[in-house]
């Protein structure tokens, strides 16, 4: 395999070799469903969708697991505020996340486990940690169980920190905790929390800590050693550090590669609840076509910060429009000619070398997009020069590249329900003008036919005449 990926654990770009030839297992930290999805959630899910699509294009069989954290302090707090059952609130937000992921063409995970459906596996992992001497039940009988961070010599290896330098963990409930860095594996039930948010265990009634959830779910679905663990940069510490420590301490080999995606800034500022500058999924999807939103969210390198500011969606719209106009023009020019090619199953065969190189080099999406636009440019030049061979090659290349990036505008995914009532109304008006222009031309009233063309042009609409039809497009 020629793919290389930046592994956060070794802090180096490593050649990617799957554990089992031809198969790749990926675990992604999914959302804690306590509120609405924002742009950061979408970007994180999307960059791993790009990775998954690239691995699939390279012939890998990918198993992607993305969990849902449906039990958490915040879920309980927010449910108290709204007066809902905590599980009803969690499910309501889970649906919002799925709606947003779906709108952006993010392929659903192979498996999407909810934390509350893997409690036995979490308790099993906790028992193994206690048996190995790396975890302890609080001696005050509170039912809290903690991971003994100072017992695990490699604690801090993922984020390259020494335990002495770390901040103490902010456990809401420090009852029976021995050291400041110890973190909760099992949280004792507290009075005031609903009965339904607690489970029986040998330590007493409680619920799982966040970190143990992901360790248990990852190995439940992917085995004790798997290929890739991914998530946002904000999850590296303490969440991923703790996942790694407890899984290794329990004897699992866990993830072979750790990938972290960069966060989203808003106009150069970190997005945060306290600043009130959060961009929610619904805001984005209201401001532009989902296809353009996807283009924008997937346009930066996955490890860089993606900045959201005025105009970014317009830029994405124009970039997509250039691609769409070319596909449209090329398809019409090639229709019925011997040059027209069908895009087969083997996408790799028609990809430009620059695109393959970019994707293989730690998913250098900006360079991959440059390859798309380069093919669009040469294809357009081919149309202008009547070099239909070039047009045909460029067309299949653009279709294959956009398919891999999940932005193929011809995919039925994007066109389903695409025509809005406004589109239909506009098409009716323009078709009437085209018919009038054709009639004027037939009667050699060129002043009138030119006037109609100019009128449309002034409105930003271009006409292109083919042998027996006229096509219109918005500039
Ligand atoms: Zn996680």
């Amino acid at each position: 395999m020629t793919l290389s990926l930046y592994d956060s654990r070794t802090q180096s770009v490593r050649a990617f070799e799957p554990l089992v030839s031809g198969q790749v297992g990926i675990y992604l930290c999914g959302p804690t469903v306590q509120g609405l999805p924002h742009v950061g959630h979408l970007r994180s899910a999307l960059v791993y969708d790009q990775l998954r699509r690239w691995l699939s294009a390279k012939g890998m069989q990918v198993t992607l697991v993305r969990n849902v954290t449906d039990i958490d302090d915040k879920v309980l707090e927010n449910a108290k505020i709204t007066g809902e059952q905590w599980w009803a609130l969690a499910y309501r937000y889970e649906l919002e996340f799925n709606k947003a992921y779906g709108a952006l063409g993010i392929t659903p995970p192979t498996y999407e486990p909810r934390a509350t459906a893997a409690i036995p596996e979490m308790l099993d992992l906790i028992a193994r940690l206690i048996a190995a001497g790396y975890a302890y039940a609080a001696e005050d009988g509170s039912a809290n169980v903690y991971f003994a961070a100072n017992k695990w010599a490699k604690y801090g290896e993922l984020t390259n920190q020494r335990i002495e330098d770390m901040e103490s963990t902010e456990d809401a409930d420090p009852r029976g905790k021995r050291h400041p860095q110890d973190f909760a594996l099992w949280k004792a039930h507290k009075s005031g929390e609903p009965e339904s948010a607690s489970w029986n265990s040998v330590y007493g009634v409680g619920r799982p800590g966040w970190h143990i959830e992901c360790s248990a779910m990852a190995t439940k679905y992917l085995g004790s050693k798997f290929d890739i663990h991914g998530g946002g940069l904000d999850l590296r510490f303490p969440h991923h550090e703790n996942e790694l420590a407890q899984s290794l301490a329990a004897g699992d080999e866990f993830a072979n590669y750790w990938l972290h995606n960069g966060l989203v800034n808003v106009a150069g500022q970190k997005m945060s609840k306290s600043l009130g500058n959060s961009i929610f999924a619904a805001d984005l999807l209201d401001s532009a076509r989902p296809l353009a939103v996807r283009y924008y969210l997937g346009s930066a390198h996955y490890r860089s910060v993606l900045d959201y500011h005025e105009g970014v969606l317009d830029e994405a719209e124009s970039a997509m429009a250039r691609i769409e106009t070319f596909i449209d023009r090329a398809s019409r020019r090639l229709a019925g000619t011997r040059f027209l090619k069908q895009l087969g199953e083997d996408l790799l065969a028609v990809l430009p070398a620059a695109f393959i190189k970019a994707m293989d080099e730690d998913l250098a999406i900006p360079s991959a997009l440059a390859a798309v636009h380069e093919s669009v440019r040469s294809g357009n030049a081919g149309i202008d020069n009547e070099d239909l061979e070039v047009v045909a090659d460029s067309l299949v290349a653009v279709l294959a590249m956009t398919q891999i990036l999940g932005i193929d505008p011809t995919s039925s995914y994007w066109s389903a329900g695409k025509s809005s009532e406004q589109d239909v109304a506009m098409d009716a008006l323009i078709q009437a003008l085209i018919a009038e222009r054709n009639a004027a031309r037939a009667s050699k009233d060129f002043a009138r036919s030119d006037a109609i063309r100019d009128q449309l042009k002034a409105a930003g609409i271009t006409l292109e005449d083919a042998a027996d039809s006229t096509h219109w497009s918005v500039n």
Side-chain angles (χ1 to χ4, degrees), residues 27-30 67 69 210-215 217 229-231 235 239-240 243 258:
Y27 182 84
L28 301 180
C29 288
N67 77 295
T69 295
W210 176 31
H211 317 304
I212 200 76
E213 296 177 0
C214 284
S215 282
M217 285 183 279
H229 190 307
L235 300 183
H239 185 50
H240 291 167
E243 274 187 51
W258 284 83

Side-chain angles (χ1 to χ4, degrees), residues 214-460:
C214 284
S215 282
M217 285 183 279
T219 50
K220 176 177 180 178
Y221 290 91
L222 297 171
S224 63
K225 186 174 187 186
F226 57 93
D227 295 296
I228 297 172
H229 190 307
L233 202 54
D234 51 340
L235 300 183
R236 266 173 87 226
F237 189 85
H239 185 50
H240 291 167
E241 188 70 73
N242 293 352
E243 274 187 51
L244 179 64
Q246 69 204 1
S247 286
L248 294 185
D252 291 334
E253 288 184 74
F254 216 54
N256 203 11
Y257 296 79
W258 284 83
L259 265 56
H260 287 99
N261 63 276
L263 306 181
V264 181
N265 277 358
V266 178
Q269 261 190 321
K270 203 177 153 182
M271 189 171 73
S272 79
K273 216 173 201 172
S274 53
L275 287 172
N277 62 351
S278 299
I279 305 290
F280 292 98
D283 303 333
L284 278 182
L285 291 163
D286 276 351
S287 326
R289 284 186 301 162
L291 178 57
V293 175
R294 181 174 173 117
Y295 184 99
Y296 155 68
L297 288 173
S299 59
H301 191 280
Y302 78 92
R303 288 197 280 125
S304 342
V305 171
L306 177 72
D307 198 61
Y308 180 83
H309 52 263
E310 192 73 33
V312 283
L313 292 176
D314 292 339
E315 284 163 27
E317 273 286 4
S318 359
M320 265 326 304
R322 277 198 297 279
I323 297 170
E324 288 170 296
T325 305
F326 164 66
I327 292 174
D328 224 28
R329 282 184 82 201
S331 306
R332 276 182 288 110
R333 186 62 194 87
L334 294 169
T337 72
R338 67 185 168 85
F339 296 97
L340 187 66
K341 288 180 187 169
Q342 293 302 324
L343 181 60
E345 290 280 299
D346 185 8
L347 302 181
L348 287 185
V350 299
L351 292 175
F355 182 87
I356 296 176
K357 184 168 178 283
M359 295 299 281
D360 273 348
E361 284 177 358
D362 195 28
L363 292 193
I365 299 285
S367 309
L369 283 172
V372 174
H373 289 288
E374 182 48 43
S375 288
V376 166
R377 252 189 307 277
S378 58
N380 275 326
I383 296 174
D384 298 341
N385 306 331
E386 283 292 309
D387 188 343
L388 297 191
E389 205 132 3
V390 167
V391 178
D393 288 344
S394 304
L395 180 59
V396 286
V398 168
L399 291 173
M401 289 186 279
T402 51
Q403 195 171 313
I404 286 166
L405 296 173
I407 50 169
D408 172 7
T410 68
S411 159
S412 57
Y413 195 90
W414 303 112
S415 52
K418 189 175 157 192
S419 306
S420 67
E421 285 167 30
Q422 284 170 12
D423 293 336
V424 173
M426 184 153 92
D427 185 60
L429 290 171
I430 296 169
Q431 293 300 349
L433 284 169
I434 289 172
E436 196 187 329
R437 172 170 166 263
N438 290 344
R441 292 210 298 182
S443 59
K444 300 206 171 352
D445 181 359
F446 296 115
R448 179 64 192 141
S449 67
D450 284 348
I452 292 170
R453 175 182 277 269
D454 293 345
Q455 184 188 358
L456 286 168
K457 198 174 171 188

Side-chain angles (χ1 to χ4, degrees), residues 32-261:
T32 297
V33 281
Q34 47 101 359
L36 290 168
H38 58 61
V39 57
H41 295 119
L42 298 184
R43 189 215 182 176
S44 183
L46 194 139
V47 298
Y48 297 107
D49 188 51
Q50 291 175 324
L51 172 65
R52 179 192 197 172
R53 286 167 186 259
W54 182 233
L55 290 166
S56 302
K58 287 172 84 73
M60 302 283 118
Q61 208 187 333
V62 182
T63 303
L64 187 140
V65 179
R66 188 185 63 218
N67 77 295
V68 175
T69 295
D70 59 342
I71 183 87
D72 170 83
D73 292 342
K74 289 249 173 60
V75 171
L76 296 179
E77 270 167 38
N78 291 349
K80 214 169 182 177
I81 296 167
T82 61
E84 280 164 290
Q85 296 281 4
W86 62 272
W87 43 265
L89 176 127
Y91 185 56
R92 180 159 64 81
Y93 287 125
E94 185 184 322
L95 290 177
E96 292 289 339
F97 274 85
N98 285 335
K99 195 166 92 181
Y101 293 148
L104 293 175
I106 295 168
T107 319
T110 321
Y111 309 113
E112 191 172 25
R114 293 191 191 125
T116 52
I119 305 274
E121 288 82 358
M122 295 170 202
L123 287 170
D124 176 59
L125 189 50
I126 294 171
R128 282 159 61 203
L129 285 168
I130 291 178
Y134 293 111
Y136 59 92
E139 280 122 28
D140 63 356
S142 64
N144 283 324
V145 181
Y146 296 100
F147 181 80
N150 63 332
K151 290 250 172 91
W152 181 245
K154 289 192 233 161
Y155 189 63
E157 69 162 311
L158 183 70
T159 47
N160 223 2
Q161 301 182 78
R162 295 185 317 158
I163 192 163
E164 306 85 80
D165 303 333
M166 288 179 193
E167 286 172 30
S168 54
T169 59
E170 289 174 31
D171 276 298
D173 183 4
R175 284 179 290 171
K177 194 161 124 167
R178 290 178 189 160
H179 293 282
Q181 277 77 28
D182 294 356
F183 56 87
L185 300 172
W186 189 254
K187 295 178 161 188
H189 176 75
K190 285 196 248 76
S191 60
E193 284 183 1
E195 292 281 318
S196 59
S198 62
W199 288 260
N200 286 320
S201 80
V202 291
Y203 322 107
V205 176
R207 58 186 166 92
W210 176 31
H211 317 304
I212 200 76
E213 296 177 0
C214 284
S215 282
M217 285 183 279
T219 50
K220 176 177 180 178
Y221 290 91
L222 297 171
S224 63
K225 186 174 187 186
F226 57 93
D227 295 296
I228 297 172
H229 190 307
L233 202 54
D234 51 340
L235 300 183
R236 266 173 87 226
F237 189 85
H239 185 50
H240 291 167
E241 188 70 73
N242 293 352
E243 274 187 51
L244 179 64
Q246 69 204 1
S247 286
L248 294 185
D252 291 334
E253 288 184 74
F254 216 54
N256 203 11
Y257 296 79
W258 284 83
L259 265 56
H260 287 99
N261 63 276

